[in-house]
Amino acid sequence: MGSACAQAGLEVVNIDTFPSAIEKAKANLEALFIKKVAKGSMTAEKKAEILGRLTYSGSFDDVKEAAIVIEAVPEKVEIKKDTFKELMGIVKPDCMFASNTSSLSITEIGAGLDRPMIGMHFFNPADRMKLVEVIAGENTPDEMVEKIKGISV
């Protein structure tokens, strides 16, 4: 998901609380792009450009200026809700919250938050599948849906 956003031109901070997961994500992405360069489906310059848009962190503080946070924690409502509740105290009030859920209620995930929630379900593998399901909750404004559709193109 992060690599798909970076390939679309967005600056991305991948956050994980487990350092080993961060290292694995970096290594997997590097290996993926090395294969693309070897096959000729990506230039070395494009690889460097995309990887230059990606940073990795173990702290939510590193997204305090983000315009959008797309969560991809395990598919458990409480974990997702807790993640967004913590983020509320860190990010700007106009930061959009999106969940990469494939099956949970966007309305339920967003209940009790200080801003609307939207779903952005990236289909796997996100770097090759040019498909993002945009899911509005009961309180998701139409303007937010349109912004997310624009980002997802």
Side-chain angles (χ1 to χ4, degrees), residues 16-26 56-58:
D16 202 303
T17 55
F18 298 102
S20 61
I22 291 172
E23 291 308 314
K24 184 177 178 182
K26 280 182 180 178
Y56 298 84
S57 174

Side-chain angles (χ1 to χ4, degrees), residues 89-114:
I90 297 169
V91 299
K92 301 179 296 186
D94 62 344
C95 176
M96 294 182 287
F97 283 170
S99 177
N100 184 38
T101 186
S102 60
S103 61
L104 300 175
S105 165
I106 296 303
T107 301
E108 185 176 355
I109 294 168
L113 300 180
D114 65 354

Side-chain angles (χ1 to χ4, degrees), residues 2-3 19 24-25 29 33 41 45 48 61 63 65 74-75 91 93 98 100 105 110 112 117 119 121 130-131 135 142:
S3 68
K24 184 177 178 182
L29 197 54
F33 287 161
S41 62
E45 294 78 17
D61 288 337
V63 295
E65 297 298 320
E75 285 287 285
V91 299
N100 184 38
S105 165
M117 170 68 60
H121 176 225
K130 307 284 184 203
L131 184 59
I135 310 129
D142 292 341

